[in-house]
Amino acid sequence: MTAKGWAYKVQKGDFVASTKEGGSPVRGEVEQAAPEIGVVWIREDELGERRMLLMSDLVPEVSWRDH
């Protein structure tokens, strides 16, 4: 398992962010995870939109939820 192996264990209710380069980070709560294809669907915090993200681009988001 890679250093980001934890991303393939995220589940509904987890808070994550995408680290995709070239844009603003996308943050939100996981609504559905599909580790077999390497994606999650989140409800974005800022706009409330549903977004699909690659699990390989995820980072844990704890600190921003606590502020």
Side-chain angles (χ1 to χ4, degrees):
M1 191 174 288
T2 67
K4 286 193 154 195
W6 69 269
Y8 291 84
K9 295 180 182 178
V10 297
Q11 55 190 319
K12 185 175 181 172
D14 290 344
F15 291 95
V16 296
S18 172
T19 60
K20 192 73 174 172
E21 293 182 31
S24 300
V26 176
R27 300 176 171 125
E29 182 176 352
V30 174
E31 289 192 337
Q32 187 176 3
E36 62 278 3
I37 59 172
V39 299
V40 294
W41 287 267
I42 68 164
R43 184 63 60 183
E44 191 177 0
D45 273 359
E46 287 187 27
L47 302 174
E49 294 179 348
R50 187 175 163 135
R51 304 268 312 254
M52 184 181 76
L53 304 174
L54 295 175
M55 288 180 162
S56 60
D57 292 337
L58 297 181
V59 294
E61 275 297 308
V62 177
S63 59
W64 64 270
R65 291 300 277 177
D66 295 335
H67 292 111

